[in-house]
Amino acid sequence: MKAKFEPVFNHKRQPLHEVLPLDTPMSFGIGVSQTCNIQCEYCLHSLSPEELREKNFICKNMDWDMFLNIVEQLKAFPQKIKSITVGGQGEPLCNPNMAKMIKTLKEADVADDVSFITNALLFTRKRVEEIIDAGVDRIFISLQGMTSPKYKEVCGREIDFEAFYDVLKYLYEYSRNKCQINIKIADVALEEGDREKFLARFGNICDKIHVETIKPLYADVDYTNILGKNITDMTTTRFGRAHKKQKACYLSFYMMCVNPLGEIRPCGAPFQGCEGLGNIEDTTLVEAWNSDVRREFLLNMLKGNRYQNDVCKDCDYPNDVPSENDEIDSHAEELIQKFTKA
């Protein structure tokens, strides 16, 4: 196997508490699509269109003009963004402008790294070439099974698995010396003996590979039939790291996102209720990042008030910390002082 077996997040992480507060987001999410071509049983897109509408979740792609506005505003931060993820709560390849968006970001030189997470089912050889030639740095691919029937079971989609594999093989070959390819699969999508098959088959057409443990990250999705007796097991994160329950969410301290409606959010939470920081049409990204609203939101996190927020109280991402360097609970008092003075 050529690939390195490890979680696909960036392992070069500074202790977060040491660098806070930040004048520039380390990570920025551009939600170019909130629609998806599959409905995985453990994802928010498993909810019906009616259920999504009730939560004010709009399935749409980001407009090109809005995207250009975001790119222009990213230039105003004092420093370059370390990592930009072009995606959001949906499948980014559903947006027909995906390759053009990546090319625009790379030419604007607003980030050290541009990546996206995809189920890869919308890749064709032509789209592979367009995306790689656009200059993307990393592609994270999530598999939902090792056979066509398993894909149908997990995400309700009929696929030709062998044709799909051939496209991914071409992606790997075309990306050499240009882009890093990372592949993961959900543990619930594996049948007995599939783990070995997954590593043997896909381990030679990617740079990193991992088996991710599904956790109940979306409060509105019923995980009972998916996880069974393991539904309350939070002894480890989805990355296999020993779990340590957190009060404050690490994500909102170093990242910011904009969804296809132009709403600026302190994290990638899918539903309205997470503290809004304005809209890209009337608030600049720099203004949102430095706003009193964001500062108060973070202070409330540090003071242990996360459970007073309708979305944050049920979100399990604070319990899914990739690295101990991201844990900030033990530094809360120190950080309260820093953000009070900021």
Side-chain angles (χ1 to χ4, degrees), residues 7 13 18 23 52 57 73 84 91 101 115-116 126 150 153 172 200 203 239 242 265 271 286 311 316 329 336:
R13 307 173 83 87
E18 292 183 1
D23 62 7
L52 291 173
F57 184 87
Q73 291 194 29
I84 289 180
E91 169 52 52
M101 288 172 163
S115 66
F116 68 98
K126 181 181 178 182
K150 193 63 179 180
E153 175 190 333
Y172 177 73
F239 308 111
R265 302 288 180 187
F271 303 125
V286 171
V311 169
D316 273 314
D329 275 8
I336 287 172

Side-chain angles (χ1 to χ4, degrees), residues 247-248 296 298-306 332-333 336 340:
K247 294 179 181 178
E296 288 302 316
L298 298 181
L299 281 170
N300 276 323
M301 279 282 180
L302 294 169
K303 292 173 182 177
N305 296 329
R306 173 163 65 92
E333 290 303 319
I336 287 172
T340 299

